[in-house]
């Protein structure tokens, strides 16, 4: 396709305009008078100008996520045969995308997941603004598209993945409420402590209960530490019946491919692990084994359901929230002691889930999971892998807890970015029974939608295949699945594969606009042929009504097997917050020869000082019996005590529980509330660093009352008299920043030796972070103009501060009284200068931390 060359700006139009505006004694000319502006520049918007009187240049403002990124980006008209192209280098700079020239090409580095992309020289056009990329070609090389609004002259970015500039703006927005006057800098990452073996923390628990089945006594230990550079987690549960349930996991995960040297891995897990799913040939399995992957832990499969997991201590409860609506609740850990939310549907684009954990003593913590779907195709020629072995259903130590364990198997998966829009994936699996299984799939993007095609041969020799198509229509996502399964129906396969020989489904989710409300919805229609014979048809829908203080969930479904009548089910759930109370209730009903209520439940919980109070009530229509109970838990320092009583189906129950946390401090073991071994924590030690070595020496005094900003949150914990404070509940894994809240320091002459630190915590790790505060001084200087016997303070004068070596350290402009202040200065010799006049060396010390100086300047200055 031919494109018209760019035409230079017509200088005649500019000269005519200048003459009209400044010529002679004529009155000022207004653009509205006589259509002057239209005659000179045309009446169409700049980007639409073409023909003899146009230069084809527009300078729209660049917007992303309703934020102004840059005031003007050069956009050139390609003429009748094309649309427009954007100056690529200014665009990359505005988006803060790292780039460098590679001969005539441009090499880019994209974040989350980190990958490299090349814009070839053949895709770029010459222009007066440098290399230019057509708007239609932008999505082929960048994770976004550009839309030009010719009327308002805006160039709008529609991102399909994380962009550095948007990530930075989001971070600054969060921090603006804390400290609007400053921007948070990038802090250096603290190195992990060396050592072959180290124990970080431990949680202890004991429970004694009286139940209809008799007396039950149990004890538990959850310990976290490091072994050979890996994060370790050990769990042991004991009962009075002599049953011992142990668990052990060693793991490491990071966002950079520097694990295991030349393998370029990002994650490793050994012991009780969760093995990834493989399309058509294996489900996600828990059991003893090993898994190594080059894929970042936060990446997900294309247009798929995912499983989220994390540690769930005894007595804790986990809630899954998506877009501020409650999705699911669990109180029971799996065989590995983890909470697990499986088969979570993902939307095209950005997905964000929050798992809120509530402890038995009022503890609250939050973990955030993010997935970008639709951008998971590997970059061209990018290869990622995972491999390992797993004995599904069998723990690392002890007997199996699964009724039908999947058994041992070795597995491997490899992804290859064939092009920027297509990724190929090969999965292999071999167990002790049957033949090796293999699956080959392709997925990618086409015409604004996403697609995936997979073919597989299972361990029984059967051939299967699956096709998935997904597309976003407005704010709604639609997914179509077609699958034919092989002969294998073993326990290692996904439930859908075990149950159906072939299946088809259409699913949708999105939001329905209703006035000011946006109602999330989900719907699914499924039809399949069962392996045991016959067919099953399913239809289900769910609608959520989110309100500021409460939300309602409506679910309606129907199932038909063979020629039987449709069986309907319905559910209504309501969650709310009333003051300090967390409320949940639900009602279920079914259509079995007429609609009737099957059951109802209600729960309420609130925090009481250092404790927590909870009520539960349920009713089953079949038995007509009520059940429920009350639980009260209170924290006495590090010791947690809980008591509960209630009634279940077989009779009454009552019990008491004790919990205690231990962690290794800098010099000794200390106690803390239980839960310390599950998340990460920082032991900050704030002190006055008199000798300036960054380490706390004998006689250096701790600072009391200091507070910290961790991530984007101002923490409520304060340093004790010895300067130490434990900041817990930090999500392990991603990097987190910690810095001192300067306003919490009562001595304003103290300043941190380091602005802040960045660290990555592992589960149960307690990282000691010394926060050295160094005494500082200040210099106040006044600039005075000397004219004869008159002396006048001069405002607006530039004052330069230099250190003892004569190097410039800072600059300041004098105020209306001629004063400029330099504070936070280290002790030593300083010098100030203005208008060619310099002061004598000014010494700052512990004895003299504040100095004042007057600079006299002559009229010639």
């Amino acid at each position: 396709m031919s494109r018209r060359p760019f035409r230079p700006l017509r200088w005649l139009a500019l000269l005519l305009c200048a003459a009209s505006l400044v010529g002679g004694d004529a009155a000022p000319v207004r653009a509205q008078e006589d259509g002057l502006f239209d005659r000179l520049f045309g009446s169409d918007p700049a980007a639409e100008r073409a023909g003899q009187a146009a230069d084809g240049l527009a300078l729209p403002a660049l917007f992303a996520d309703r934020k102004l990124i840059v005031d003007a980006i050069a956009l050139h008209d390609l003429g009748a045969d094309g649309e427009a192209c954007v100056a690529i280098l200014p665009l990359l700079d505005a988006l803060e995308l790292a780039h460098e020239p590679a001969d005539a090409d441009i090499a880019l580095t994209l974040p989350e997941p980190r990958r490299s992309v090349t814009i070839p020289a053949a895709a770029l056009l010459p222009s007066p603004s440098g290399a230019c990329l057509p708007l239609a070609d932008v999505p082929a090389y960048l994770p976004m598209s550009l839309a030009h609004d010719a009327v308002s002259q805006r160039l709008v970015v529609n991102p399909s993945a994380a962009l550095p500039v948007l990530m930075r703006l989001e971070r600054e927005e969060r921090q603006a409420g804390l400290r609007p006057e400053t921007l948070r800098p990038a802090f250096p990452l603290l190195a992990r402590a060396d050592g072959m073996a180290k124990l970080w923390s431990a949680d202890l628990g004991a429970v004694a209960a009286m139940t209809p089945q008799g007396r039950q006594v149990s004890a538990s230990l959850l310990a976290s530490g490091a072994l050979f550079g890996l994060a370790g987690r050990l769990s042991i549960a004991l009962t009075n019946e002599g049953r011992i349930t142990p668990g052990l996991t060693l793991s490491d995960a990071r966002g950079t491919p520097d694990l295991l040297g030349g393998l370029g891995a990002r994650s490793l897990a050994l012991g009780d692990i969760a093995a990834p799913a493989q399309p058509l040939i294996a489900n996600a399995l828990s059991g003893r084994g090993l898994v190594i992957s080059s894929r970042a832990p936060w990446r997900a499969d294309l247009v798929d359901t995912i499983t989220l997991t994390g540690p769930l201590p005894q007595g804790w409860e986990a809630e899954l929230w998506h877009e501020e609506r409650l999705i699911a609740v669990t109180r029971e850990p799996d065989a590995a002691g983890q909470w697990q939310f499986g088969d979570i549907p993902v939307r095209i684009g950005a997905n964000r889930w929050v798992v809120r954990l509530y402890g038995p003593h009022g503890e609250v913590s939050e973990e955030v999971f993010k997935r970008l779907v639709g951008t998971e195709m590997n970059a061209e020629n990018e290869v990622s892998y995972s491999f390992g072995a797993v004995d599904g259903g069998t723990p690392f130590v002890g007997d199996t807890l699964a009724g039908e364990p999947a058994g041992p198997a070795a597995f491997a998966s490899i992804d290859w970015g064939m092009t920027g829009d297509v990724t190929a994936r090969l999965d292999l699996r071999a167990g002790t029974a049957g033949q090796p299984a293999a699956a080959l799939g392709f997925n990618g993007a086409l015409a604004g939608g996403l697609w995936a095609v997979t073919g597989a041969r299972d361990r029984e020799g059967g051939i299967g295949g699956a096709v998935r198509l997904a597309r976003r229509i407005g704010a709604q996502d639609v997914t179509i699945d077609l699958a034919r399964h092989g002969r294998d129906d073993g326990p290692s396969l996904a439930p859908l594969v075990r149950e159906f020989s072939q299946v088809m489904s259409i699913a949708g989710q999105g939001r329905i606009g209703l006035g000011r409300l946006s109602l999330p919805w989900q719907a699914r229609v499924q039809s399949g042929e069962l392996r045991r014979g016959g067919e099953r048809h399913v239809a289900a829908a769910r609608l959520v009504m989110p309100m500021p203080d409460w939300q309602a969930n409506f679910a309606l479904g129907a199932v038909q097997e063979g020629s039987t009548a449709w069986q309907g089910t319905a559910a209504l759930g309501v969650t709310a917050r009333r003051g300090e109370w967390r409320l949940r209730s639900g009602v279920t009903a079914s259509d079995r020869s007429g609609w009737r209520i099957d059951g109802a439940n209600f729960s309420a919980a609130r925090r009481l000082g250092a404790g927590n109070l909870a009520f539960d009530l349920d009713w089953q229509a079949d038995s007509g019996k009520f059940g429920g109970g009350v639980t009260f838990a209170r924290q006495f320092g590090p010791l947690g005590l809980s008591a509960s009583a209630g009634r279940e189906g077989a009779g009454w129950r009552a019990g008491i529980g004790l919990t205690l946390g231990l962690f290794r401090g800098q010099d000794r073991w200390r106690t803390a509330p239980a839960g310390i071994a599950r998340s990460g924590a920082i032991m900050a030690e704030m002190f006055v660093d008199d000798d300036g070595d960054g380490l706390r020496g004998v006689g250096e005094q701790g600072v009391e009352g200091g507070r910290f900003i961790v991530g984007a949150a101002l923490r409520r914990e304060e340093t004790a008299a010895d300067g130490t404070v434990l900041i817990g509940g930090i999500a392990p894994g991603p990097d987190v920043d910690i810095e001192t809240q300067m306003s919490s320091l009562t001595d304003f002459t103290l300043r941190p030796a380091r602005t802040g630190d960045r660290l990555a915590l592992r589960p149960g790790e307690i990282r000691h972070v010394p926060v050295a505060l160094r005494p500082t001084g200040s210099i106040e200087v006044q600039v005075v103009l000397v004219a004869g016997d008159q002396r006048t303070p001069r405002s607006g004068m530039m004052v330069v501060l230099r250190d003892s070596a004569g190097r410039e350290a800072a600059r300041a402009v004098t105020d209306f009284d001629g004063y400029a202040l330099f504070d936070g200065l280290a002790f030593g010799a300083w010098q100030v200068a203005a208008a060619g006049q310099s002061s004598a060396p000014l010494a700052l010390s512990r004895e003299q931390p504040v100095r004042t100086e007057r600079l006299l300047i002559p009229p010639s200055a």
Side-chain angles (χ1 to χ4, degrees):
M1 181 175 61
S2 62
R3 291 189 172 102
R4 186 174 56 188
F6 297 100
R7 289 186 295 273
L9 183 65
R10 308 236 172 199
W11 290 99
L12 178 60
L14 292 179
L15 292 174
L16 288 174
C17 180
S20 300
L21 294 175
V22 301
D25 297 328
V29 179
R30 295 181 175 85
Q32 294 87 343
E33 294 177 354
D34 302 323
L36 175 64
F37 187 89
D38 290 346
R39 291 200 307 273
L40 292 176
F41 296 99
S43 59
D44 294 333
E48 297 178 356
R49 289 177 303 183
Q52 297 298 318
D55 61 356
L57 172 67
L59 294 172
L62 184 68
F63 282 80
D65 198 17
R66 299 181 299 277
K67 302 180 182 71
L68 176 64
I69 305 300
V70 68
D71 290 325
I73 286 284
L75 190 71
H76 294 276
D77 183 18
L78 295 178
D81 296 330
E83 296 179 354
C85 76
V86 61
I88 186 62
L89 293 181
L91 176 65
L92 297 179
D93 290 336
L95 298 176
E96 300 178 12
L97 287 169
H99 61 89
E100 59 184 12
D103 295 330
D105 302 336
I106 300 176
L108 308 177
T109 300
L110 302 179
E112 283 194 330
R114 189 175 180 85
R115 58 203 188 277
S116 298
V117 174
T118 299
I119 302 179
L124 301 174
L125 301 174
S127 80
S129 304
C132 189
L133 181 66
L135 290 188
D137 295 341
V138 168
Y141 304 103
L142 300 177
M144 64 179 202
S145 62
L146 286 174
H148 181 218
D149 185 350
V151 177
S152 62
Q153 280 303 301
R154 291 187 174 194
L155 196 60
V156 181
V157 176
N158 298 308
S160 57
L163 293 173
V165 64
L166 295 182
M167 297 162 65
R168 176 181 62 81
L169 291 175
E170 181 183 5
R171 181 181 177 86
E172 291 174 3
E173 273 189 0
R174 293 197 307 265
Q175 296 167 358
L178 298 175
R179 301 194 306 163
E181 72 281 3
T182 62
L183 299 179
R184 186 169 303 208
F187 301 133
L189 182 66
L190 295 182
R192 294 175 176 174
D194 296 328
M196 181 176 296
K198 189 173 184 180
L199 184 61
W200 295 326
S201 57
D203 286 339
L204 306 174
V207 176
M210 294 296 297
T211 70
Q213 292 78 27
R215 184 178 60 185
Q216 296 180 356
V217 180
S218 63
S220 63
L221 166 68
L222 176 64
S224 297
L227 183 63
F228 304 117
L230 301 177
R233 180 183 297 276
L234 171 68
S235 62
I236 300 176
L238 309 172
T239 69
N240 60 329
E241 300 169 349
R243 188 172 68 248
I244 303 176
T245 307
L248 176 64
T249 302
L250 299 175
S251 64
D252 197 0
R254 56 190 67 178
T256 53
D258 53 6
L259 189 62
L260 300 179
L263 279 179
R266 287 184 172 90
S267 62
L268 176 150
L270 170 67
D272 292 305
I273 67 167
Q278 295 177 291
L280 297 179
I281 61 175
N283 194 19
L285 298 175
S286 296
R288 60 188 177 190
L290 167 71
V291 58
I292 299 173
S293 177
S294 68
R295 184 177 288 268
W298 53 82
R299 291 187 62 176
D301 289 337
L302 172 74
V303 200
D304 211 341
T305 60
I306 65 170
T307 298
L308 301 179
T309 63
L312 184 66
Q314 185 177 6
W316 285 63
E317 175 182 305
E319 293 182 351
L320 176 66
W321 291 75
H322 181 232
E323 296 180 347
E324 292 306 314
R325 56 192 175 99
L326 182 64
I327 302 298
V329 179
T330 183
R331 298 175 179 174
E332 298 297 329
D334 62 10
Q338 307 277 312
W339 54 260
Q340 186 173 111
F341 296 110
D343 296 330
I344 303 172
V346 294
R347 298 194 65 189
I348 300 173
N351 291 263
R352 182 179 184 272
W353 295 274
V354 177
V355 176
R356 293 172 180 158
L357 301 173
Y358 298 94
H361 306 288
E363 305 95 335
V364 180
S365 67
E366 223 176 60
E367 295 185 40
V368 178
F369 298 84
K370 294 182 179 180
R371 298 291 188 273
L372 290 170
V373 177
T375 60
E376 297 305 321
M377 285 76 73
N378 292 14
E380 187 172 358
N381 293 322
E382 179 190 4
V383 176
S384 61
Y385 67 85
S386 63
F387 67 91
V390 62
D391 191 357
T394 302
F396 186 70
V397 180
D399 299 328
T400 179
L401 301 178
E404 189 179 4
F411 61 89
S413 300
I414 185 169
D415 300 337
W416 169 46
M418 300 175 62
T419 70
D421 291 330
V422 179
T423 291
R425 172 169 175 163
L426 175 65
D427 292 278
L428 302 173
R429 193 176 192 88
T432 56
Q435 307 171 19
L440 177 63
F442 300 88
N443 56 61
L446 179 66
L450 303 171
W451 59 270
V453 177
T454 305
R457 182 184 186 275
D458 61 32
R459 62 178 184 170
E460 300 293 335
I463 303 298
V467 176
R468 167 166 288 183
L469 304 174
R471 186 176 180 85
R472 169 161 292 181
I473 303 174
Q476 324 304 325
D477 293 341
V478 178
T479 304
I480 301 175
D481 284 290
L482 301 171
R484 184 179 182 88
H485 304 142
R487 292 195 291 266
D488 188 11
D489 61 352
S492 64
L493 296 172
L496 197 69
V497 180
R498 294 202 310 265
E499 196 169 7
F500 290 91
S501 59
Q502 57 184 6
V503 66
M504 178 193 71
S505 67
I506 300 176
Q509 61 176 334
R511 286 181 173 270
I512 301 174
L514 184 62
R516 296 178 60 187
L517 295 179
S518 178
L519 308 183
W521 66 272
Q522 295 175 351
R524 179 172 62 96
V525 176
Q526 177 181 296
S527 179
E529 182 179 314
L530 298 169
R531 290 187 181 273
R532 65 172 186 266
E535 296 180 345
R536 177 184 295 167
H537 310 287
V538 178
R542 180 183 185 186
L543 181 67
V544 180
M545 181 177 292
M547 303 299 288
D549 297 319
W550 62 274
Q551 73 168 40
N553 295 262
F554 304 93
L556 188 64
V559 178
Q560 182 190 43
E561 290 207 16
S563 59
T564 62
W566 285 85
Q567 301 290 322
T569 59
L572 168 64
V574 178
T575 62
R577 287 185 177 272
R578 287 292 180 267
E580 296 293 325
W581 288 96
R582 285 189 301 120
L583 308 175
R584 284 202 305 261
S585 63
V587 178
T588 58
S590 62
D591 177 18
R592 291 177 291 181
S593 302
W595 284 95
R596 67 172 188 172
I597 295 178
D598 293 332
N601 62 77
F602 173 80
S603 66
R606 66 160 297 166
R607 193 179 182 93
L608 292 175
N612 196 55
L613 179 66
F615 298 94
D616 290 285
L617 181 66
D618 64 81
W619 171 74
Q620 299 297 325
D622 291 339
S623 62
K625 294 182 178 180
F626 285 89
V630 58
T631 301
F632 178 74
R634 181 174 173 79
Q635 201 73 37
F636 297 92
L639 182 66
L641 174 65
S642 62
S644 63
R647 180 180 175 83
E648 55 186 23
W652 290 92
R653 55 176 171 79
I656 58 172
L658 295 172
T659 60
L660 178 68
L662 301 172
F663 71 95
R664 179 71 181 177
Q666 183 67 6
D667 53 353
R668 60 183 175 85
W669 281 91
R670 305 188 181 192
T671 57
I676 191 71
R678 176 181 51 81
S679 60
I682 297 173
M683 170 57 75
E685 185 175 11
M686 184 181 288
F687 61 96
V688 179
D689 188 17
D690 292 317
D691 55 11
D693 63 353
L695 302 175
R696 188 170 185 177
V698 178
E700 291 184 331
Q701 184 179 3
V703 177
E704 184 178 4
R707 298 177 68 182
F708 297 90
I709 299 172
V710 179
L714 175 62
R715 299 298 296 248
R716 65 178 182 275
E717 299 92 339
E718 295 183 352
T719 54
D722 63 352
T724 61
V725 62
L726 180 67
I727 305 174
I730 301 175
D735 296 346
V736 63
D737 291 342
I738 176 173
E739 59 183 298
T740 304
Q741 185 199 23
M742 299 303 299
S743 61
S744 67
L745 303 179
T746 56
D747 186 349
F748 295 106
T749 66
L750 296 177
R751 294 294 175 92
R754 298 186 306 274
T755 311
D757 295 296
R758 176 170 294 175
L759 61 160
L761 297 174
R762 291 170 286 181
E765 182 181 7
I766 315 298
R767 184 77 66 90
H768 176 253
V769 178
V771 181
L773 301 181
R774 294 179 180 174
T776 62
S778 62
I779 296 176
E780 186 179 50
V781 59
Q782 185 183 34
V783 179
V784 177
L785 174 67
V786 179
D789 58 354
Q790 293 187 352
R791 299 189 175 189
T792 307
R794 297 295 293 171
S795 62
M797 297 293 296
M798 180 65 68
V799 182
V800 178
L801 176 72
R802 293 188 173 91
D803 60 17
S804 57
R807 295 185 296 265
E808 182 177 323
R811 290 189 173 208
V813 178
T814 58
D815 62 13
F816 60 92
D817 281 330
Y819 285 100
L821 176 67
F822 300 96
D823 61 353
L825 304 178
F827 291 162
W830 299 89
Q831 191 177 39
V832 291
Q837 306 297 312
S838 300
S839 70
L842 304 172
L844 296 177
S845 64
R846 192 70 166 170
E847 294 74 24
Q848 195 174 13
V850 178
R851 296 294 301 270
T852 58
E853 182 68 11
R854 175 177 290 184
L855 287 177
L856 304 179
I857 61 175
S860 59

